[in-house]
């Protein structure tokens, strides 16, 4: 099955690489607006095939969407990333225009496509795709929770001095520095609630480090991260293509779930061959419910800046 990745920059190329390395897709088409860039990235990645042992074919094109025809999944990473000190929300002006145009091109050539939105501000960009693409809501999925949960697990493992594979945890709500909601009440180490092992001070620190996880990397790298975002997308694409039905927190259009309507926010969902197979309702504490509602309010304000 064919996967298109629009934007052959840091995140797009990393995502294409992880997809190819796991060898579950027949073809990955990279698309970029910069002349020759996607072709170059595709060629470089193809030259790793015999070294890394995969058969996935990777091709590149400068904006020729006919090459993307028949894609099962398309990932939108095109747009600008933030620079140190910027919030994700500050990217809306440029990225909204790019995401809208890219979506039109993708749907024209692959009407049955499932779109994964990565470009920031992601919850608002996912909402834009819902409002402009005409696709059913099950086929539009925002990537944020998969990455933020991986960052949460990294911080939890660090605080617990445990191997990462022993810890589990999930981040829901908004993909923003203030709106992320790491679900401490549900986090576990080997099935045991982590609250048993950490002091209040450690808990507060894990939550804070998780929420500013992206900003910390942006400061260190001078631009936003790509390995973990690319890996997070590849896990979602694999769950769709291989119908794994994994539970992954994703930014989805809510119609009453978690008390919200007409907004894309991060919630746990089963991701399979049809895209979103089911939104999973988990019980939140009163404090978590309050924080979820606050995050929704902030995302609504950003959505208000969209022009359709
Ligand atoms: P980048 O600048 O390395 O790559 C973006 C690419 O998009 C560039 O190669 C550019 O030429 C291309 N592009 C721009 N307009 C285009 C168009 N109309 N059609 C096709 N390609 C176009 O940026 P990076 O680091 O890859 O980030 C991409 C986006 O992903 C940013 O908005 C960033 O904030 C977001 N991001 C989201 C994450 C998430 O968790 N949702 C995590 C990391 C980044």
């Amino acid at each position: 099955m064919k996967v298109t990745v629009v934007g052959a920059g840091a995140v797009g190329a990393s995502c294409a690489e992880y997809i190819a390395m796991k060898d579950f897709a027949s073809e990955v088409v990279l698309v970029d607006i910069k002349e020759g860039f996607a072709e170059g990235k595709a060629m470089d990645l193809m030259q790793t095939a015999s070294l890394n042992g995969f058969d996935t074919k990777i091709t590149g094109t400068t904006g020729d969407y006919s090459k993307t025809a028949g894609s099962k999944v398309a990932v939108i990473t095109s747009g600008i990333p933030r620079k140190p000190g910027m919030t994700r929300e500050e990217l809306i002006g440029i990225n909204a225009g790019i995401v809208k145009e890219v979506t039109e091109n993708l749907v024209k050539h692959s009407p049955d496509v499932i779109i994964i939105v990565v470009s920031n501000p992601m919850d608002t960009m996912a909402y834009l795709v819902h409002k402009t693409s005409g696709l059913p809501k099950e086929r539009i999925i925002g990537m944020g929770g998969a990455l933020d949960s991986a960052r949460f697990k990294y911080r939890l493992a660090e605080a617990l001095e445990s191997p990462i594979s022993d810890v589990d945890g999930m981040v829901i709500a908004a993909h923003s520095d203030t709106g992320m909601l790491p679900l401490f009440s549900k986090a576990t180490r080997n099935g045991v609630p982590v609250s048993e092992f950490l002091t209040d001070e450690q808990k507060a620190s894990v939550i804070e480090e998780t929420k500013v996880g992206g900003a910390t990397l942006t400061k260190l790298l001078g631009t936003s991260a790509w390995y973990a975002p690319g890996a997070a997308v590849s896990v979602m694409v694999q769950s769709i293509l291989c119908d794994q039905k994994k539970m992954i927190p994703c930014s989805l259009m809510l119609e009453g779930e978690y008390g919200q309507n007409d907004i894309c926010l991060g919630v746990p969902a089963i991701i399979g061959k049809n895209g979103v197979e089911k939104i999973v309702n988990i019980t939140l504490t009163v404090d978590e419910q309050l924080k979820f509602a606050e995050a929704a309010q902030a995302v609504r304000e950003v959505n208000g800046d969209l022009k359709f």
Side-chain angles (χ1 to χ4, degrees):
M1 275 185 275
K2 192 193 235 183
V3 178
T4 289
V5 179
V6 185
V11 176
S14 160
C15 156
E17 183 179 12
Y18 283 117
I19 291 171
M21 293 273 285
K22 295 177 188 174
D23 221 4
F24 58 80
S26 55
E27 184 177 356
V28 177
V29 183
L30 278 169
V31 184
D32 206 281
I33 201 169
K34 258 187 273 171
E35 189 65 43
F37 192 61
E39 290 88 333
K41 287 281 179 107
M43 195 184 288
D44 192 11
L45 283 169
M46 274 310 280
Q47 290 169 3
T48 71
S50 63
L51 299 164
N52 287 328
F54 63 78
D55 289 321
T56 305
K57 182 177 158 198
I58 308 169
T59 58
T61 169
T62 307
D64 179 0
Y65 280 84
S66 68
K67 304 253 173 70
T68 70
S71 293
K72 169 79 180 168
V73 177
V75 183
I76 304 181
T77 77
S78 46
I80 51 164
R82 57 181 171 159
K83 296 277 171 240
M86 280 175 93
T87 65
R88 295 174 177 93
E89 290 73 17
E90 288 174 72
L91 306 172
I92 188 171
I94 294 175
N95 286 358
I98 295 174
V99 169
K100 189 162 175 264
E101 178 211 309
V102 164
T103 302
E104 281 164 11
N105 284 320
L106 288 171
V107 175
K108 188 169 152 202
H109 293 276
S110 303
D112 296 326
V113 73
I114 295 168
I115 294 185
I116 297 180
V117 184
V118 179
S119 309
N120 275 318
M122 183 279 295
D123 298 296
T124 295
M125 293 301 110
Y127 183 77
L128 175 68
V129 174
H130 277 280
K131 293 293 173 190
T132 57
S133 67
L135 294 180
K137 66 182 182 128
E138 296 74 24
R139 289 205 263 127
I140 302 164
I141 309 175
M143 192 290 282
L147 170 66
D148 301 331
S149 300
R151 288 179 173 158
F152 183 35
K153 286 182 248 189
Y154 164 75
R155 291 297 179 190
L156 276 174
E158 194 179 50
L160 291 161
E161 297 179 17
S162 284
I164 290 196
S165 56
D166 285 355
V167 301
D168 203 7
M170 192 191 289
V171 176
I172 62 167
H175 181 60
S176 71
D177 294 354
T178 49
M180 258 177 234
L181 178 53
L183 292 179
F184 229 99
S185 66
K186 310 280 182 301
T188 56
R189 176 169 75 179
N190 293 321
V192 182
V194 293
S195 349
E196 301 284 329
F197 309 110
L198 298 175
T199 63
D200 286 348
E201 206 174 296
Q202 283 175 308
K203 283 182 210 167
S205 160
V206 167
I207 290 175
E208 189 49 29
E209 293 296 341
T210 301
K211 289 168 80 166
V212 299
T216 304
L217 283 162
T218 303
K219 214 160 135 190
L220 290 168
L221 297 167
T223 184
S224 65
W226 55 88
Y227 294 119
V233 174
S234 77
V235 166
M236 293 167 68
V237 176
Q238 186 171 18
S239 198
I240 296 168
L241 260 62
C242 304
D243 197 26
Q244 290 175 319
K245 302 200 192 301
K246 280 195 179 166
M247 184 166 85
I248 303 172
C250 305
S251 185
L252 305 177
M253 179 59 88
L254 301 181
E255 289 175 346
E257 298 92 346
Y258 292 85
Q260 297 297 329
N261 267 299
D262 194 37
I263 189 167
C264 288
L265 270 187
V267 291
I270 305 298
I271 304 299
K273 66 175 187 309
N274 300 312
V276 183
E277 309 267 336
K278 184 183 172 8
I279 292 179
V280 180
N281 254 311
I282 49 173
T283 311
L284 302 182
T285 64
V286 173
D287 181 53
E288 287 165 352
Q289 286 173 31
L290 200 70
K291 291 203 164 83
F292 192 90
E294 281 170 10
Q297 186 50 35
V299 169
R300 262 202 185 89
E301 279 167 29
V302 183
N303 290 353
D305 290 339
L306 284 174
K307 291 173 198 73
F308 300 122

